[in-house]
Amino acid sequence: MPELPEVETIVRDLSPRLRGRPLRNPQLFKTDVLRGISSSRFLRVLRNNRVEDVTRRAKHVVILLASGERMVVQPRMTGALIVYDRRLRADERRYVVLRATLGNGSILVYRDVRRLGTITLLDQARWEAYTARIGPEPLTSEFTGERFIERLSGTKQAIKKAIMDQRRIAGVGNIYANEALFRAGIDPSRRTDLLSSDELHRLYRTVRHVLRKAVRAGGTTVRDYRNGTGGIGSYQRTLLVYGRGGDHCTRCRTILTTTHAIDGRATTFCWRCQSVAR
Ligand SMILES: [Zn+2]
């Protein structure tokens, strides 16, 4: 699932290719990805609208249009937002949900195999309400260790669940929560309110570290994730625990454990390196 680093990569790829371009002849082949807008109104707003800017908020791609509206795309498990500067191959055409030509021979495509992703169109007021519900961006300079601790205060939830809660902190999902907790030596099931200030500061540093490194690597491709030009990321080579259940811990050689008991998602950890008394 695209998390902060994957969506950041998509945005960096798309931004120079979309900025200033008109969305010509937009076509929507499946309407079930739309949220809060009819397909006819969606297409009417898009048609010949110009892209002013492409940014990221949490795990969402935000395309600001000249009309002032924002098209917000959340690719989730199987979606990909790609600009092609050539004709699409048959296999690439297969799962196209939305396409528009950009007036320079390039094509913007939103493709989604299982259509788990969503697209919405927000005016300024609805955008402000939308973004206000999401927590702060963890890679900004204003996001200090104190801010991190403050966002996690007052909850008995498992720490892994708390750092993945988008209302508390933006952009962290299952992959980077697993990785950051391992690097910080914290048991993912620990109660957030029982963690020490030292542990939280350590986790603050590892969360930022894995997100930064993954942005630099162009994200993690484990299944369907593709960047904004259809390529793959490389952070999967750096993963220490995610997807490695049953393998040896890189630090102590203990067999890594995978559990679904914390939040229904796969949590992989080392019971030795991530125990309370370490
Ligand atoms: Zn270990």
Side-chain angles (χ1 to χ4, degrees):
M1 170 165 191
E3 303 179 26
L4 185 156
E6 290 75 36
V7 176
E8 181 66 26
T9 303
I10 294 170
V11 164
R12 289 180 185 187
D13 290 338
L14 291 186
S15 186
R17 291 173 170 85
L18 285 182
R19 239 181 301 129
R21 310 300 324 175
L23 299 174
R24 297 223 173 111
N25 190 28
Q27 291 172 284
L28 189 68
F29 300 97
K30 304 282 179 185
T31 58
D32 54 2
V33 296
L34 292 183
R35 293 291 179 277
I37 187 165
S38 69
S39 52
S40 56
R41 197 177 111 68
F42 176 74
L43 288 170
R44 200 162 59 239
V45 172
L46 244 57
R47 194 166 298 124
N48 297 322
N49 216 327
R50 203 179 62 248
V51 176
E52 295 271 284
D53 204 3
V54 185
T55 56
R56 180 188 57 77
R57 177 74 173 109
K59 305 175 193 176
H60 314 158
V61 178
V62 182
I63 299 176
L64 176 64
L65 302 170
S67 63
E69 276 134 319
R70 286 171 176 84
M71 179 163 82
V72 178
V73 181
Q74 187 169 12
R76 301 185 101 147
M77 299 295 215
T78 58
L81 202 54
I82 299 171
V83 171
Y84 291 98
D85 50 13
R86 54 173 172 79
R87 289 169 62 100
L88 273 63
R89 297 191 309 258
D91 62 311
E92 291 165 339
R93 269 199 299 272
R94 215 166 140 215
Y95 298 107
V96 170
V97 171
L98 171 71
R99 63 168 277 163
T101 55
L102 301 172
N104 59 352
S106 298
I107 311 164
L108 170 67
V109 166
Y110 178 67
R111 195 172 79 201
D112 198 336
V113 179
R114 286 166 62 198
R115 296 203 303 286
L116 300 169
T118 58
I119 302 178
T120 186
L121 204 60
L122 303 175
D123 61 21
Q124 186 62 27
R126 286 180 64 212
W127 162 253
E128 281 166 20
Y130 187 86
T131 190
R133 284 195 296 270
I134 308 172
E137 289 291 333
L139 291 185
T140 59
S141 53
E142 305 86 69
F143 193 74
T144 59
E146 287 66 37
R147 191 86 206 279
F148 179 74
I149 292 174
E150 174 198 308
R151 299 301 298 177
L152 295 174
S153 70
T155 179
K156 295 178 179 176
Q157 274 188 332
I159 183 63
K160 183 187 172 221
K161 229 173 153 172
I163 58 173
M164 287 171 61
D165 181 347
Q166 299 301 296
R167 290 164 302 183
R168 295 181 184 278
I169 299 160
V172 179
N174 202 35
I175 297 175
Y176 301 104
N178 272 290
E179 294 298 305
L181 285 159
F182 173 75
R183 286 171 182 268
I186 296 171
D187 180 336
S189 67
R190 292 268 307 280
R191 258 176 62 175
T192 302
D193 60 342
L194 299 182
L195 290 171
S196 70
S197 164
D198 271 6
E199 287 171 317
L200 288 169
H201 275 286
R202 211 155 68 217
L203 184 58
Y204 162 74
R205 286 192 297 271
T206 62
V207 164
R208 302 231 304 176
H209 174 85
V210 296
L211 293 175
R212 264 206 210 102
K213 290 282 179 183
V215 168
R216 243 171 263 160
T220 301
T221 296
V222 281
R223 275 182 296 270
D224 295 292
Y225 161 68
R226 293 293 178 271
N227 64 28
T229 56
I232 64 169
S234 67
Y235 195 76
Q236 59 277 13
R237 297 186 212 131
T238 312
L239 297 173
L240 298 180
V241 285
Y242 180 85
R244 295 193 64 243
D247 290 355
H248 293 278
C249 171
T250 52
R251 249 178 225 161
C252 74
R253 310 307 295 163
T254 298
I255 300 286
L256 297 172
T257 308
T258 298
T259 174
H260 289 79
I262 298 173
D263 52 10
R265 311 284 304 278
T267 300
T268 302
F269 66 103
C270 174
W271 61 264
R272 186 170 280 162
C273 293
Q274 292 171 268
S275 62
V276 179
R278 106 189 161 112

